[in-house]
Amino acid sequence: MATMRDVAARAGVSIKTVSNVLNDYPYIKESTRAKVLTAIDQLGYRMNISARNLRAGRTGIIALVVPELSLPYFAQLSDAIIEAAAIKGWTVIVEQTGGVRERELDMLSGARRHLVDGVIFSPLALGPGETDHLHVDFPLVLLGERMSNGPVDHVTISNVQAARAATQHLLDLGRHRIAAIGANGVAGAATTRFDGYLAAIESAGLERDDTLIPVVGLSWHRTAGAEAMQELLDSGTPIDAVFGFNDTLALGAMHVLLRSGRRIPEDVAVIGFDNIEETRFSMPSLSSVEPGQKQIARTAVDLLAERIGGGAEEYREIYADFTLEIRESTIGRQEDA
Amino acid sequence: MATMRDVAARAGVSIKTVSNVLNDYPYIKESTRAKVLTAIDQLGYRMNISARNLRAGRTGIIALVVPELSLPYFAQLSDAIIEAAAIKGWTVIVEQTGGVRERELDMLSGARRHLVDGVIFSPLALGPGETDHLHVDFPLVLLGERMSNGPVDHVTISNVQAARAATQHLLDLGRHRIAAIGANGVAGAATTRFDGYLAAIESAGLERDDTLIPVVGLSWHRTAGAEAMQELLDSGTPIDAVFGFNDTLALGAMHVLLRSGRRIPEDVAVIGFDNIEETRFSMPSLSSVEPGQKQIARTAVDLLAERIGGGAEEYREIYADFTLEIRESTIGRQEDA
DNA sequence: CCTGACTTGTACATCGATGTAGAAGCCAAT
DNA sequence: ATTGGCTTCTACATCGATGTACAAGTCAGG
């Protein structure tokens, strides 16, 4: 494999001159530049990134740490972040933690801090009491609300407000027996979305009813939503609406509801959260909270860039905008739309 | 940031001894090893990967090149490949091409050949006539059937057989007007799955009917399936079954069918391909071809490992096993299952 | 007490690119 | 002719870890 030395030899210049050409050093005679470029072309030379990194202390790589790509939300998030990073000329390493505490800690231990310039981290197992782990010596941007108020930059949406708006939408439809699927006793999105749900319920003058609030596991897959819904139906508690804390939970719940013979939204209205692509194609299509994922991705990458560039001082907490996407699962089929 | 030199100084040994400890060199006195490990611990030392890579010529990173993570199939594939790579101690860079020809070529140009030890590539735009581009000087494993018979290792499933089996399943149900959604005139999975469809149709004594074969775009998203289905319905051609060349196409089609008032499977049976998680939760649940994705992922990583290790000579073409997952969209709801 | 085998550690060159210092060539102004 | 300011390029040290060569120390057997 050709090195810079080979290029220099072929072009009849010094190795540093080759480097200068490649780094757009201004004082290069046009003829010299041409010779060098020709040599590079002939030899098919590619710069050795490891060597450059060793000198420069930068790798041009960032790590994205998510629970798992199989969840559409994280898949779409990764898509958006990879694209946003590409614009900055960065390459993205994707690490999956599976929501396993030990693997999340490992990501923060700095084992890769020479390999990447910075990390975008979406924790699932680590929580609010553990912000100590965030005192890391590499640029870090946190996603989601699992570990707010730590010594890091932080991008999320107003989970409380968004969840409240989603619940309010169900209340506005005249529903009063609204199940909340996604609570799992773990701080973070589960808790803040639950808080939003509760705020809407209580400000509507209703009372909190724990029979409407099944406990689910850590992982918000479709199965979890289906199981929780089945549990609710089995319990016999009356239900006229469901708020799934994410779309896959809601879709799982919807599946069970339809299978049990309920009509959506006539008997039970359903709303989700995240607005994944699938919501537009389920039957019925699923109303959802659009969390501004692309904005989150861009913001996270921008914050990381500032942090890496050293231009940031204060730790920032940024809230992306959300909107409600109302579809059939709450308002039924609209004849003209 | 502490370097090996610092560790050596603190432990009172030479820098090479530290290196030896870290690399499990056999002849190290236990007391020396302990001193070194203590020093490493006290300093919070982490090895500089770039420096090691520069020496070793290996990076421990592989690149996974896919069209886009937003498609569940590729999201799940990436998940599986990242896990399989982690077992080998590898880190995975995920690159998205968006199915854009230029970006796919760029991935093969070797621009990153110093950054990664090898590449797993799932092409979408590049096709059979362009195997020239596959004469690359880095370890490469190809996924899918877009560029068979090139000078590379290759992992795929028997698309023709699998598609034929899926179509045969519809025929076995007594359907004769089977639409095929996914053909786009592009060689690769689109073509081979079409061939399988046609083989089943013709061996059943039916005649090919082009009004049942809409042309879709390159990207097999839900929208594409929905549009194609709408087109079919508008054309008025009779249809009693649909074979979607992947699940998202089938789901998009199913959405349009249900919306038009058709019952699935009573009026129209639907089968997809890929067996993504969503198929188990759609209403009705979607029959699909299970392509053995985890097996594909593991096989691809294994082949790449052999190639990187230099232990492989012949270029290999490996076919993963497939099975049919029969669900409600073809056989209706089963009372006891 | 010496030899040779084995253990344990050190010094130095090296991987490939880049920053620093400065040399050499050229020109205009003195 | 000399000075000084540009432009253009070279030589060398350096980033951090590792392979090679070899030195020093230990220990058994003769």
Side-chain angles (χ1 to χ4, degrees):
Chain A
M1 183 120 40
T3 76
M4 214 174 231
R5 183 183 311 284
D6 302 325
V7 174
R10 183 170 198 115
V13 300
S14 86
I15 169 175
K16 185 68 220 277
T17 299
V18 176
S19 169
N20 285 337
V21 168
L22 289 176
N23 289 283
D24 291 318
Y25 183 72
Y27 304 124
I28 298 280
K29 215 191 301 175
E30 200 44 54
S31 61
T32 308
R33 177 190 310 279
K35 271 191 304 184
V36 170
L37 292 178
T38 308
I40 286 177
D41 210 47
Q42 291 172 340
L43 293 171
Y45 166 77
R46 296 282 173 179
M47 206 172 57
N48 183 322
I49 307 286
S50 289
R52 165 190 275 199
N53 291 345
L54 178 56
R55 275 298 311 201
R58 290 268 176 91
T59 64
I61 308 178
I62 64 173
L64 170 64
V65 181
V66 295
E68 52 176 325
L69 286 177
S70 290
L71 282 171
Y73 177 77
F74 292 112
Q76 290 182 30
L77 177 69
S78 302
D79 181 336
I81 284 184
I82 289 172
E83 291 307 302
I87 292 171
K88 290 205 152 44
W90 286 341
T91 301
V92 178
I93 281 175
V94 180
E95 307 265 10
Q96 301 188 104
T97 64
V100 175
R101 181 187 161 74
E102 193 176 328
R103 290 174 74 176
E104 293 196 345
L105 280 174
D106 193 46
M107 295 294 102
L108 292 177
S109 74
R112 283 180 173 61
R113 78 172 169 230
H114 282 292
L115 182 59
V116 301
D117 295 338
V119 175
I120 296 177
F121 179 32
S122 182
L124 185 58
L126 293 180
E130 320 188 80
T131 48
D132 279 358
H133 296 294
L134 298 178
H135 286 98
V136 296
D137 56 357
F138 51 86
L140 175 66
V141 171
L142 224 56
L143 298 182
E145 238 169 342
R146 282 286 297 149
M147 303 180 79
S148 295
N149 301 317
V152 285
D153 291 314
H154 192 204
V155 185
T156 183
I157 73 164
S158 304
N159 272 311
V160 176
Q161 287 178 46
R164 180 169 182 164
T167 311
Q168 187 61 48
H169 170 61
L170 297 173
L171 290 166
D172 291 344
L173 296 172
R175 312 293 169 134
H176 290 87
R177 301 286 305 167
I178 304 177
I181 298 186
N184 53 15
V186 176
T191 302
T192 48
R193 288 180 194 177
F194 178 71
D195 289 345
Y197 161 80
L198 212 57
I201 293 288
E202 292 179 345
S203 81
L206 298 177
E207 243 174 66
R208 165 181 180 160
D209 180 346
D210 283 340
T211 65
L212 291 171
I213 309 164
V215 172
V216 306
L218 202 60
S219 182
W220 286 349
H221 273 272
R222 291 176 183 82
T223 28
E227 283 163 16
M229 194 68 236
Q230 191 59 55
E231 200 181 302
L232 284 169
L233 293 183
D234 291 347
S235 79
T237 196
I239 291 172
D240 58 17
V242 172
F243 170 30
F245 287 3
N246 82 348
D247 288 331
T248 39
L249 286 172
L251 289 163
M254 210 159 75
H255 185 250
V256 169
L257 283 169
L258 291 170
R259 189 161 297 239
S260 78
R262 267 86 172 172
R263 292 167 304 158
I264 298 176
E266 293 81 353
D267 301 324
V268 182
V270 180
I271 191 166
F273 202 114
D274 285 346
N275 198 30
I276 63 176
E277 184 179 318
E278 187 180 340
T279 57
R280 292 190 285 288
F281 289 91
S282 60
M283 281 305 285
S285 58
L286 177 66
S287 297
S288 189
V289 175
E290 158 61 46
Q293 196 179 46
K294 290 206 171 163
Q295 188 196 344
I296 289 178
R298 273 195 305 269
T299 307
V301 170
D302 286 345
L303 286 183
L304 192 62
E306 285 180 31
R307 191 59 60 187
I308 290 173
E313 308 95 34
E314 301 279 301
Y315 291 110
R316 295 192 285 172
E317 181 129 348
I318 294 194
Y319 286 87
D321 301 326
F322 70 88
T323 51
L324 285 188
E325 292 290 333
I326 305 304
R327 302 201 178 87
E328 294 166 0
S329 69
T330 54
I331 57 170
R333 187 153 165 200
Q334 307 296 301
E335 279 316 316
D336 39 18
Chain B
M1 184 121 37
T3 76
M4 216 175 232
R5 182 183 312 284
D6 303 325
V7 174
R10 183 168 198 118
V13 300
S14 87
I15 169 176
K16 186 66 219 281
T17 299
V18 177
S19 170
N20 284 338
V21 168
L22 289 175
N23 290 281
D24 291 319
Y25 183 73
Y27 303 125
I28 299 281
K29 216 190 302 176
E30 201 42 56
S31 62
T32 310
R33 177 190 310 279
K35 273 191 303 186
V36 169
L37 292 178
T38 308
I40 286 178
D41 209 47
Q42 290 172 342
L43 294 171
Y45 166 78
R46 296 281 172 180
M47 206 172 60
N48 184 319
I49 308 287
S50 289
R52 165 188 275 201
N53 291 344
L54 178 56
R55 275 300 308 203
R58 289 270 176 88
T59 64
I61 308 176
I62 64 173
L64 171 64
V65 181
V66 295
E68 51 176 326
L69 286 177
S70 290
L71 282 171
Y73 177 76
F74 292 112
Q76 291 183 30
L77 178 69
S78 303
D79 182 334
I81 285 184
I82 289 172
E83 292 306 303
I87 291 171
K88 290 205 153 42
W90 286 341
T91 300
V92 178
I93 281 176
V94 180
E95 308 265 9
Q96 301 188 107
T97 63
V100 176
R101 184 188 158 73
E102 193 176 328
R103 290 173 72 177
E104 293 196 345
L105 280 174
D106 193 46
M107 295 294 101
L108 292 177
S109 75
R112 282 183 172 62
R113 78 172 168 228
H114 281 293
L115 182 59
V116 300
D117 295 337
V119 175
I120 296 176
F121 179 32
S122 182
L124 187 58
L126 293 180
E130 319 188 81
T131 48
D132 279 358
H133 297 293
L134 297 178
H135 286 99
V136 297
D137 56 358
F138 51 86
L140 174 66
V141 171
L142 224 56
L143 298 182
E145 240 169 341
R146 282 286 296 151
M147 302 178 80
S148 296
N149 300 319
V152 286
D153 289 315
H154 192 204
V155 185
T156 182
I157 71 164
S158 304
N159 274 310
V160 176
Q161 286 179 46
R164 179 167 183 168
T167 311
Q168 187 61 48
H169 170 60
L170 296 172
L171 289 166
D172 291 344
L173 296 171
R175 312 292 168 133
H176 291 88
R177 301 288 304 166
I178 305 176
I181 299 186
N184 54 16
V186 176
T191 301
T192 48
R193 290 181 192 177
F194 178 71
D195 289 346
Y197 161 80
L198 212 57
I201 293 288
E202 292 179 345
S203 81
L206 299 177
E207 246 175 64
R208 164 181 181 160
D209 180 347
D210 284 339
T211 65
L212 291 172
I213 309 164
V215 172
V216 307
L218 202 58
S219 183
W220 284 349
H221 273 273
R222 292 177 184 79
T223 28
E227 284 163 16
M229 193 69 236
Q230 191 59 56
E231 201 181 300
L232 283 169
L233 293 182
D234 292 346
S235 78
T237 194
I239 291 173
D240 56 18
V242 172
F243 171 31
F245 287 4
N246 81 349
D247 288 330
T248 40
L249 286 172
L251 288 163
M254 211 158 74
H255 186 251
V256 168
L257 283 169
L258 292 170
R259 188 160 297 241
S260 77
R262 266 86 171 174
R263 292 166 306 158
I264 298 177
E266 293 82 355
D267 300 325
V268 181
V270 180
I271 192 166
F273 202 115
D274 284 346
N275 198 30
I276 63 176
E277 184 178 319
E278 188 179 340
T279 55
R280 290 190 285 289
F281 290 90
S282 60
M283 281 303 287
S285 57
L286 177 65
S287 296
S288 188
V289 175
E290 158 62 45
Q293 196 179 44
K294 291 206 169 161
Q295 189 195 345
I296 289 179
R298 272 195 306 271
T299 306
V301 170
D302 287 344
L303 285 184
L304 192 61
E306 283 180 32
R307 192 59 62 188
I308 290 172
E313 307 94 35
E314 300 280 299
Y315 292 110
R316 295 193 284 169
E317 181 129 348
I318 294 193
Y319 288 87
D321 301 326
F322 69 89
T323 51
L324 284 188
E325 292 290 331
I326 305 304
R327 302 200 180 87
E328 295 166 358
S329 68
T330 54
I331 58 169
R333 185 155 166 198
Q334 305 297 300
E335 279 316 314
D336 39 18

